[in-house]
Amino acid sequence: MSRYWSDIVNRLVPYVPGEQPALAKPVKLNTNENPYAPSPRVLEAIRHELGETGESLRRYPDPVAKRLRAAVAAHHGIRAEQVFVGNGSDEVLAHAFQALLKHDKPILFPDITYSFYPTYARLYEVEYHTVPLTEQFTISVDDYRQPNGGVIFPNPNAPTGHALPLAEIERLVAANTESVVVIDEAYVDFGAQSAIALIDRYPNLLVVHTTSKSRSLAGMRVGFAFGHPDLIDALNRVKDSFNSYPLDRLAQAAATAAYEDGDWLRTTSARVIASRERLTAALTALGFEVVPSAANFVFAKHPAHDAAAIAAKLREKEIFVRHFNAPRVNHHLRISIGTDAECDTLIDALKAIVA
Ligand SMILES: Cc1ncc(COP(=O)(O)O)c(C=O)c1O
């Protein structure tokens, strides 16, 4: 608090990102990063962009990321004018709050979901109501049939990993024509159906993607929104009133190459999914209850052990998982899927803790 702060800054509750420990080789299962290096084509593209001298860095990057948008549109079978690009999907989501979700009525999102949503709502002074997940930690779309200024949730949801089928998303979007529905598909490649298939038919649907998870580019900060050109226009109006060059040259080159390597995506996602099933079985054998996950993390609790205490003991062994000190979820741990070797290290440590 300082007398120089604006009122709004005094009222903010900033998002707390997962720890990035300064250790040589932590077992880092706390921020849902990909355990594998990105496609080799990404590295090639970055080297190519830099050239011998880095000459291209003298110049500003393409403000509208034309090549990247074309590659992503081709990958999804849509038009480039249906694609918005931002500095990580967090920035895309922030712009969506300001451009599309700020109306007279409160927006709706689940009580257990990505904790950046309430942060953006406070930043942009968007009123919101939370809608409780069911007892099984699932979203019931009928609970969103109430007046609203917009709806937003991830599919699969975070931190639960639960995914809704496309037909349920369509039922919601079709019934909610008066406001925008934002489906945040950060984890879609690990087992959910994308709602991009619906954007041609529903002008009120915005789908948000990231290269941070399935494409292993969290360090590059590239995210997207897909939707009707009118929605994309709104996001561009905010972008060009905020930062017209959100993506640097290396990020644009890297992300374009990542979208041109579909084989890498399929192989790596399959590996992560196989490790998730293996980890789920091992955790279940130790007595954990694991929410069925369609993401690159699992959400698990042990009926006989305090989750915060488990996380603290793991941390002593340089194993990092995420614990949220919030109602309904404080008995759970969110564990990102690592390599099989990292998952084995975790399981060995947990064996000793819950024995
Ligand atoms: C549901 C969800 N949406 C969006 C993001 C943000 O991803 P990024 O800003 O790296 O694209 C995350 C990151 O963990 C997430 O869990």
Side-chain angles (χ1 to χ4, degrees):
M1 178 101 133
S2 151
R3 70 190 173 101
Y4 300 116
W5 287 11
S6 61
D7 262 7
I8 178 109
V9 166
N10 275 321
R11 280 184 275 123
L12 292 182
V13 183
Y15 175 77
V16 183
E19 189 175 354
Q20 297 290 350
L23 295 166
K25 272 214 164 290
V27 176
K28 202 175 161 304
L29 307 175
N30 65 337
T31 51
N32 299 343
E33 290 146 335
N34 198 304
Y36 303 108
S39 157
R41 289 208 211 167
V42 166
L43 211 63
E44 250 173 64
I46 292 173
R47 289 203 179 108
H48 184 261
E49 177 62 40
L50 280 173
E52 282 293 299
T53 60
E55 166 76 9
S56 74
L57 298 184
R58 279 192 315 114
R59 300 211 187 273
Y60 284 103
D62 174 5
V64 296
K66 200 160 172 237
R67 226 189 113 215
L68 172 57
R69 280 173 41 246
V72 175
H75 175 83
H76 289 299
I78 58 177
R79 302 189 308 281
E81 64 183 18
Q82 294 171 300
V83 180
F84 175 80
V85 187
N87 193 258
S89 61
D90 280 340
E91 184 181 88
V92 176
L93 291 165
H95 290 345
F97 268 76
Q98 198 172 30
L100 301 168
L101 298 178
K102 189 172 163 65
H103 298 288
D104 293 341
K105 292 183 195 131
I107 63 164
L108 306 174
F109 52 78
D111 62 337
I112 300 168
T113 195
Y114 186 35
S115 48
F116 231 132
Y117 302 157
T119 295
Y120 290 138
R122 282 187 209 100
L123 175 63
Y124 293 119
E125 302 185 296
V126 175
E127 239 195 288
Y128 66 91
H129 279 333
T130 58
V131 180
L133 293 186
T134 67
E135 281 299 304
Q136 292 72 41
F137 281 164
T138 62
I139 289 172
S140 167
V141 298
D142 290 327
D143 295 344
Y144 292 78
R145 286 191 178 219
Q146 48 176 303
N148 65 72
V151 174
I152 180 167
F153 57 76
N155 192 45
N157 194 12
T160 61
H162 180 264
L164 281 179
L166 187 57
E168 284 297 281
I169 302 283
E170 181 163 12
R171 216 156 61 75
L172 170 68
V173 175
N176 200 78
T177 52
E178 293 306 303
S179 68
V180 172
V181 176
V182 180
I183 305 295
D184 176 356
E185 295 188 338
Y187 302 102
V188 71
D189 293 322
F190 301 108
Q193 297 165 286
S194 177
I196 292 176
L198 305 176
I199 62 170
D200 274 334
R201 276 185 289 139
Y202 296 98
N204 59 325
L205 171 63
L206 191 78
V207 179
V208 176
H209 277 204
T210 177
T211 60
S212 297
K213 313 297 180 181
S214 58
R215 287 184 175 78
S216 222
L217 291 178
M220 275 288 164
R221 315 301 303 127
V222 182
F224 304 97
F226 307 111
H228 189 283
D230 285 352
L231 302 187
I232 302 303
D233 242 17
L235 297 173
N236 276 319
R237 288 173 71 92
V238 171
K239 165 201 166 260
D240 287 328
S241 308
F242 177 79
N243 176 8
S244 37
Y245 301 106
L247 252 68
D248 65 60
R249 284 176 173 276
L250 303 186
Q252 292 192 31
T256 306
Y259 272 85
E260 288 167 351
D261 196 351
D263 283 348
W264 183 94
L265 176 77
R266 277 182 292 278
T267 312
T268 312
S269 301
R271 277 175 92 180
V272 171
I273 290 167
S275 299
R276 176 183 75 210
E277 299 314 307
R278 196 171 161 272
L279 178 65
T280 301
L283 287 169
T284 308
L286 287 180
F288 281 88
E289 295 163 16
V290 186
V291 180
S293 171
N296 69 339
F297 55 84
V298 291
F299 201 50
K301 78 167 181 186
H302 198 291
H305 292 270
D306 180 71
I310 297 177
K313 283 183 191 153
L314 289 173
R315 198 175 183 286
E316 285 167 15
K317 300 181 186 203
E318 302 190 353
I319 302 171
F320 295 81
V321 298
R322 193 95 197 249
H323 174 255
F324 298 96
N325 194 11
R328 287 189 84 190
V329 294
N330 56 353
H331 299 304
H332 282 78
L333 295 173
R334 192 197 66 190
I335 305 169
S336 310
I337 308 303
T339 61
D340 280 343
E342 288 173 320
C343 293
D344 288 345
T345 305
L346 168 75
I347 290 294
D348 286 345
L350 285 174
K351 268 183 195 151
I353 293 168
V354 304

